[in-house]
Amino acid sequence: TQRGKVSIALSSHWIKPQHMTEKNIKECQKSLDFVLGWFAKPIFIDGDYPESMKSNLSSLLPEFSEVEKKYIKGTADYFALSFGATLSFQLLDSHMKFQQLESISLRQLLYWISSEYNNPQIFIVENSWFVSGSTKRDDAKYIYYLKKFIMETLKAIRYDGVNVFGYTVWSLLDGFEWHRGYSIRRGLFYVDFQSHDKKLMPKSSVLFYQKLIEKNGFPPLPENQPTEGIFPCGFAWGIVDNYIQVDTTPAQFLDSNVYVWDVHQTKKLIKVDGVFTSKRKRQCVDFAAIRLQISLLQETHVTHFHFSLKWSLILPLGNLSLINHTLVHYYQCFASELLRVNITPVVALWQPMAENQELPVSLAKYGAWENPETIQAFVEYARFCFKSLGDHVKFWITMNEPSMKNLTYTAGHNLLKAHAKAWHLYDKEFRRSQKGKISIALQADWVEPACPFSRNDQDVADRILEFDIGWLAEPIFGNGDYPQVMRAWLHRRNSIDLYNFHLPYFSEDEKKLIQGSFDFFALSHYTTTLVGWEKEDALKYDHYLEVQMINDITWLHSPSRAAVVPWGLRKLLKWVKSKYGNVPIYVMANGIDDDQNMMHDKLRVYYIQNYINEALKAYTLDNVNLQGYFVYSFNDKTAPKYGLYSYVANQYEPKPSMKHYREIIDNNGFPGPETPELVCPEEIALCPECHFFRTRKSLLAFISFIFVAFISCPFEYITHCPFCCIPLGNLK
């Protein structure tokens, strides 16, 4: 008469084996049997308890008669499931886990229920997680748990064929959480337990859930759909290798000694004393390591290659009193060989690394960038590099990815002045003759407000972007001084706390020196971070900047837990344009780590495909002046897990991601059926020899024709010299 449905609501956890052994898997099954199967199997299968319970509990477990089994079996119209922290994780006795690991995966639990109980209709009647009792209305962590659970439910329906027909969030409002009391919150509405009227106020999570219901899930967003199109003529397609493989071992051809091969006894070469051959000058072809690296780069079809010099090895004492001429010659050869195969070298003068920040020991020992004397030392080093390598290098980076987290404000201050002086040095003394360009490369990951509906979280994101990027970018690309947001924040912190972080001031002359010291904006981008203002996780909370780092657990992550968020690159490029105008931009490094054991590095293929596509959107849709894109990194030998080439047993092997990147380069982007063909003017050869031959194609063709005619004709029929028309009989 009422046409309704009735069932029992069962709570469960999900469990996974410590190790993928048969014993551990059986223990996981037993744990689920004891928690969920205890009631589910009698109702949904055969009216009796799971075998694992009967064998483990023996006489402690009552028995059903056959009549009772038939009576109990099938007494549910659907499977009502409760899954959440308090239901299972906190209240579950530890011995019920059978030493296995708990997991928050709802999708796997739904699939297990479907497989175990004959694909019943499932209604999720209670599901959520919790946040700290001190969290107020911007409950970002709760949002991302909710997002994960509902996404996993949708995946279970679409991909696993699980018959889920309803979902219920727990709970409507904050309340008394049993043994946890008021120390946690799980409501969509905030309750101030200290107030008299206990007024309900909607949290960010209720806005998120409301919009999710309106959309009935997660429909594809137009801005996240791939776009078709191509990049402009002359777009720089590059690869990064922080430090190239340097092997200056002399070639055998440079050895002036004479050897005899003892083929009968020792089977070795024996040097003949007192006998020498004439020495010859060292040539670039003598470096076998260069030939190998160049050949690998040619395979990728890139137009640019970005690497850093080792300041600490070129000038070990930090000045020109001792120069490693062998290493400098190696760099000269490497750059010239790149040019020979039409690959433009992009060279960074300095890149900080962990040990001594890659500074000469004498500079690192006496304060590094804290010491103002390092400024002039860098300028002299830059002058030496411009003189030594400037004929081959037309694309310079002064400093590559100075780490914001490891820089003090004083060190950053000196670093900016060193960059500016090096830029002006090149501009005044070398630019006219060498015709190159120079700038600084900054690491710039995107920062997104954790709660998209929160003004406070947006303010935090804006502040972090200024501290992470604007700190060094604003003086160079902006007004010549640090961001006002930084100065205001540090003034506030120093006035109310024990902090004493002094942000130095530039003189007017220094501002003029630094402002505009760039030819382009170079940025390295790898991932996106979520930030909020509510303190939730003490381990990821920055008290100095009052920011909570938050992880969206639905995002794709690399083995090192770096988030894969392609749209973050597009937002960053738009932000740079909005802040610093229509400056030419190069994405100087962009990459992800992957499992080295994976033959098909699908994550890196996905990463490259989607990040470049977002860069294309920035160029075509947002009119960002994007001039180039570089993948990080060249190979696993110099950057383990990041390389486009694997390195095993002294052999380099291209990964699928390298071939995929090469395909994008060959297409200059992602052309579609409607994409107009781009006709680019022929590039001028970079090497003088190449230019000579290119401009004399007709002459070469004529000479080739005469030569072929000469050698293909029988000699007795040739009566005259083809070049001078003199009868052959008269030639002596």
Side-chain angles (χ1 to χ4, degrees):
T1 59
Q2 297 181 353
R3 295 181 177 83
K5 296 180 180 180
V6 63
S7 188
I8 183 173
L10 303 177
S11 65
S12 182
H13 64 308
W14 177 247
I15 211 84
K16 61 182 181 181
Q18 284 186 337
H19 307 286
M20 289 304 291
T21 63
E22 184 177 357
K23 180 180 183 298
N24 278 189
I25 292 171
K26 286 182 177 180
E27 293 293 289
C28 288
Q29 177 74 23
K30 187 195 299 185
S31 181
L32 286 166
D33 283 344
F34 269 70
V35 175
L36 186 61
W38 180 4
F39 286 80
K41 185 171 178 289
I43 295 172
F44 291 93
I45 299 297
D46 58 6
D48 202 1
Y49 297 117
E51 289 300 320
S52 59
M53 292 188 71
K54 292 163 71 173
S55 60
N56 273 265
L57 299 176
S58 62
S59 60
L60 294 176
L61 192 66
E63 294 184 3
F64 292 117
S65 66
E66 291 302 317
V67 174
E68 288 172 330
K69 290 179 183 179
K70 292 178 182 178
Y71 186 70
I72 293 170
K73 178 183 176 182
T75 56
D77 296 323
Y78 57 92
F79 198 110
L81 174 67
S82 295
F83 181 76
T86 300
L87 279 175
S88 56
F89 286 67
Q90 273 71 40
L91 297 182
L92 183 65
D93 293 336
S94 59
H95 71 275
M96 296 279 280
K97 303 171 191 173
F98 300 103
Q99 299 180 341
Q100 304 310 305
L101 305 174
E102 290 172 315
S103 167
I104 63 171
S105 177
L106 177 56
R107 178 183 177 184
Q108 289 173 297
L109 175 61
L110 291 170
Y111 183 77
W112 185 86
I113 291 171
S114 178
S115 302
E116 194 81 0
Y117 302 118
N118 299 324
N119 194 28
Q121 283 192 313
I122 301 175
F123 195 127
I124 301 171
V125 294
E126 289 182 0
N127 176 234
S128 76
W129 210 248
F130 62 89
V131 295
S132 168
S134 61
T135 300
K136 295 181 174 61
R137 297 177 61 185
D138 288 333
D139 54 343
K141 193 173 181 180
Y142 188 93
I143 286 177
Y144 294 110
Y145 276 119
L146 195 58
K147 181 181 176 184
K148 176 180 174 64
F149 290 137
I150 299 175
M151 274 190 169
E152 290 198 334
T153 301
L154 183 59
K155 290 177 184 177
I157 295 169
R158 289 191 59 186
Y159 302 131
D160 307 331
V162 179
N163 191 1
V164 182
F165 71 95
Y167 179 90
T168 311
V169 170
W170 180 31
S171 60
L172 179 64
L173 52 94
D174 295 332
F176 182 78
E177 296 293 342
W178 306 105
H179 73 296
R180 301 290 294 270
Y182 297 112
S183 65
I184 65 170
R185 295 176 182 271
R186 65 169 75 251
L188 296 174
F189 284 82
Y190 174 76
V191 179
D192 182 358
F193 299 120
Q194 306 302 320
S195 67
H196 177 72
D197 56 1
K198 306 292 188 292
K199 182 180 179 181
L200 303 183
M201 290 176 282
K203 300 181 184 178
S204 292
S205 56
V206 79
L207 298 175
F208 168 80
Y209 191 46
Q210 181 185 38
K211 292 191 176 296
L212 191 147
I213 293 171
E214 289 174 359
K215 296 175 182 178
N216 197 32
F218 304 93
L221 298 175
E223 61 267 27
N224 289 339
Q225 300 308 297
T227 191
E228 293 180 344
I230 54 178
F231 290 94
C233 292
F235 190 77
W237 292 105
I239 289 180
V240 187
D241 198 355
N242 286 342
Y243 295 108
I244 58 174
Q245 176 190 345
V246 175
D247 184 359
T248 57
T249 304
Q252 59 180 339
F253 308 109
L254 298 175
D255 191 348
S256 60
N257 293 294
V258 176
Y259 298 86
V260 174
W261 188 8
D262 184 2
V263 295
H264 298 293
Q265 297 181 6
T266 63
K267 311 294 184 183
K268 296 180 179 179
L269 292 173
I270 300 174
K271 185 168 69 173
V272 180
D273 294 331
V275 180
F276 302 95
T277 62
S278 59
K279 290 186 177 181
R280 70 167 177 80
K281 189 178 179 181
R282 184 188 295 268
Q283 303 293 330
C284 288
V285 293
D286 295 325
F287 295 120
I290 290 180
R291 295 199 302 273
L292 174 59
Q293 292 177 83
I294 297 294
S295 66
L296 294 176
L297 285 169
Q298 283 184 281
E299 282 186 2
T300 66
H301 297 180
V302 294
T303 62
H304 291 65
F305 181 61
H306 173 32
F307 64 94
S308 299
L309 304 177
K310 287 209 168 194
W311 183 7
S312 61
L313 297 183
I314 293 175
L315 302 180
L317 300 182
N319 55 49
L320 299 179
S321 63
L322 179 62
I323 301 171
N324 187 336
H325 290 287
T326 303
L327 181 59
V328 173
H329 178 63
Y330 188 93
Y331 285 136
Q332 290 171 338
C333 286
F334 194 91
S336 64
E337 287 298 294
L338 285 172
L339 291 175
R340 188 180 62 81
V341 296
N342 289 324
I343 297 177
T344 302
V346 181
V347 179
L349 294 171
W350 174 72
Q351 175 162 344
M353 299 296 281
E355 186 177 358
N356 289 335
Q357 298 184 43
E358 207 51 58
L359 294 169
V361 175
S362 58
L363 298 177
K365 185 177 179 181
Y366 293 101
W369 287 108
E370 297 275 338
N371 188 344
E373 293 182 6
T374 305
I375 299 173
Q376 191 56 36
F378 179 78
V379 174
E380 291 305 312
Y381 162 65
R383 183 191 303 274
F384 173 78
C385 291
F386 297 151
K387 286 182 177 179
S388 304
L389 300 170
D391 290 341
H392 309 295
V393 178
K394 312 300 180 187
F395 203 135
W396 290 99
I397 301 293
T398 53
M399 288 96 173
N400 193 54
E401 298 185 32
S403 174
M404 301 295 99
K405 294 179 174 58
N406 297 327
L407 271 184
T408 65
Y409 293 131
T410 301
H413 200 68
N414 290 332
L415 189 146
L416 282 167
K417 289 190 280 189
H419 154 77
K421 289 189 174 185
W423 187 89
H424 283 283
L425 170 68
Y426 187 83
D427 190 55
K428 292 176 182 177
E429 299 184 21
F430 297 95
R431 188 187 298 276
R432 180 173 297 180
S433 59
Q434 296 183 0
K435 297 178 173 59
K437 50 188 175 180
I438 182 171
S439 197
I440 188 172
L442 304 176
Q443 181 171 340
D445 289 334
W446 181 244
V447 179
E448 185 78 2
C451 286
F453 318 105
S454 169
R455 180 66 252 177
N456 288 334
D457 282 8
Q458 183 63 60
D459 290 343
V460 169
D462 293 342
R463 181 165 70 245
I464 299 305
L465 284 170
E466 294 292 1
F467 270 82
D468 282 359
I469 307 172
W471 175 9
L472 298 183
E474 185 65 30
I476 298 172
F477 301 92
N479 61 11
D481 199 359
Y482 297 115
Q484 185 57 36
V485 171
M486 284 187 73
R487 290 210 182 275
W489 180 261
L490 292 175
H491 177 75
R492 172 180 171 271
R493 296 298 293 170
N494 290 336
S495 63
I496 63 176
D497 287 331
L498 297 177
Y499 292 102
N500 187 21
F501 294 102
H502 173 61
L503 190 62
Y505 286 87
F506 294 112
S507 67
E508 290 303 314
D509 288 340
E510 288 172 337
K511 288 181 182 179
K512 292 177 182 178
L513 177 79
I514 296 170
Q515 185 181 19
S517 58
F518 68 90
D519 295 332
F520 52 88
F521 195 115
L523 58 90
S524 300
H525 175 84
Y526 302 99
T527 188
T528 291
T529 304
L530 293 173
V531 295
W533 73 279
E534 291 270 22
K535 183 179 179 181
E536 178 66 33
D537 184 351
L539 295 177
K540 294 183 178 181
Y541 187 79
D542 186 331
H543 292 272
Y544 171 53
L545 294 177
E546 294 183 1
V547 55
Q548 176 70 64
M549 304 298 176
I550 294 172
N551 181 34
D552 184 340
I553 52 180
T554 67
W555 282 350
L556 193 63
H557 287 81
S558 73
S560 69
R561 302 304 299 161
V564 179
V565 192
W567 51 258
L569 175 57
R570 180 184 177 187
K571 287 194 172 187
L572 173 65
L573 294 173
K574 289 172 63 178
W575 183 85
V576 171
K577 180 183 178 181
S578 68
K579 286 281 293 183
Y580 306 118
N582 196 37
V583 56
I585 301 175
Y586 290 83
V587 178
M588 199 55 68
N590 178 238
I592 195 75
D593 63 294
D594 206 350
D595 191 342
Q596 285 181 303
N597 297 323
M598 295 290 290
M599 292 300 293
H600 305 290
D601 53 341
K602 294 180 180 179
L603 178 61
R604 188 175 291 104
V605 170
Y606 174 87
Y607 185 97
I608 291 173
Q609 168 81 16
N610 288 277
Y611 271 82
I612 296 178
N613 198 262
E614 291 296 321
L616 179 63
K617 292 177 188 176
Y619 169 69
T620 58
L621 303 178
D622 307 324
N623 296 315
V624 173
N625 189 6
L626 187 63
Q627 299 286 318
Y629 172 90
F630 291 67
V631 161
Y632 180 83
S633 171
F634 184 22
N635 62 72
D636 282 341
K637 183 176 183 180
T638 52
K641 300 183 181 182
Y642 282 86
L644 294 178
Y645 285 88
S646 63
Y647 181 77
V648 181
N650 294 323
Q651 294 290 325
Y652 292 94
E653 291 293 335
K655 299 179 183 178
S657 54
M658 186 283 279
K659 297 175 182 177
H660 187 68
Y661 184 42
R662 182 173 62 191
E663 182 180 344
I664 296 173
I665 293 173
D666 291 342
N667 291 321
N668 200 31
F670 306 92
E674 306 298 323
T675 303
E677 184 179 355
L678 182 66
V679 180
C680 296
E682 185 177 355
E683 292 185 11
I684 299 174
L686 295 174
C687 59
E689 296 85 353
C690 302
H691 181 71
F692 174 85
F693 289 116
R694 286 189 182 207
T695 55
R696 290 162 177 80
K697 289 180 180 178
S698 300
L699 175 62
L700 291 172
F702 174 73
I703 294 173
S704 300
F705 170 75
I706 296 298
F707 179 72
V708 171
F710 187 85
I711 64 172
S712 61
C713 185
F715 187 77
E716 58 266 25
Y717 294 109
I718 301 176
T719 59
H720 289 74
C721 171
F723 298 105
C724 58
C725 299
I726 300 174
L728 290 178
N730 296 335
L731 292 176
K732 300 298 182 180

